[in-house]
Amino acid sequence: MIYKGQSKYKDKPITEHFRVGEIVCHDGSSEYIINSKALEGLEKLREIIKKPIIINSGYRTVSYNKRCGGSPKSQHLVGNAIDFHVKGMSTEDIYHIMKTHNMIGKEFKGIGLYNTFVHVDVRPNPNRRGYSFWDMRK
Ligand SMILES: [Zn+2]
């Protein structure tokens, strides 16, 4: 389900542990869109790791995405993607847990590893393998 709403309702919950203020665009724009499936996947991950998931970036407007060097076809533009980290866990640790629990290709159709965060998305048209994976760690 795609939620559309006003960014000013920061404390409004979208799923059990995630609120509007965590996924809105960092440019202060007044509206957001988010696919609840992305957050539901993170709820499941949270349940497994029993630690809070800290969202770095959720929805992005076209102009903000350009400014932060995002891909022009970024899933963040349509509310399908979230970048996050977990205190005390490396992105490798997080990836392993997602893999062990068969979340790759199921809850998440796009997974990207970076030095300090993990990107997940729920793109509607995954490739034949069922997911895309990239490793941008240096
Ligand atoms: Zn991302």
Side-chain angles (χ1 to χ4, degrees):
M1 184 168 179
I2 308 280
Y3 285 100
K4 266 186 177 191
Q6 301 278 313
S7 304
K8 65 183 173 189
Y9 301 118
K10 290 195 300 264
D11 296 326
K12 187 182 171 201
I14 307 174
T15 60
E16 194 181 349
H17 296 98
F18 298 107
R19 294 167 297 102
V20 166
E22 295 175 274
I23 56 86
V24 296
C25 188
H26 293 309
D27 68 1
S29 53
S30 60
E31 291 181 343
Y32 69 90
I33 45 174
I34 193 73
N35 189 329
S36 59
K37 278 195 276 180
L39 291 173
E40 280 152 18
L42 291 180
E43 289 282 3
K44 181 177 170 178
L45 182 64
R46 188 188 196 277
E47 186 69 35
I48 294 164
I49 62 179
K50 313 252 183 250
K51 283 181 178 187
I53 283 167
I54 303 151
I55 294 176
N56 300 45
S57 180
Y59 169 63
R60 289 181 199 155
T61 60
V62 172
S63 63
Y64 180 78
N65 187 59
K66 242 179 226 168
R67 253 190 290 148
C68 72
S71 147
K73 287 185 176 173
S74 170
Q75 291 292 314
H76 288 279
L77 299 171
V78 289
N80 282 337
I82 294 178
D83 297 342
F84 70 97
H85 68 279
V86 177
K87 260 189 193 150
M89 289 181 81
S90 69
T91 57
E92 179 86 33
D93 294 338
I94 296 167
Y95 174 63
H96 265 281
I97 288 169
M98 293 196 294
K99 213 171 163 184
T100 310
H101 288 82
N102 295 315
M103 299 184 78
I104 291 170
K106 199 177 161 211
E107 277 81 6
F108 301 126
K109 314 289 190 194
I111 302 97
L113 299 188
Y114 296 81
N115 286 344
T116 56
F117 65 90
V118 178
H119 163 108
V120 289
D121 68 62
V122 293
R123 63 187 64 200
N125 50 352
N127 58 23
R128 205 181 288 181
R129 191 168 56 165
Y131 65 90
S132 294
F133 173 77
W134 59 96
D135 187 348
M136 301 293 280
R137 289 173 299 166
K138 285 170 194 143

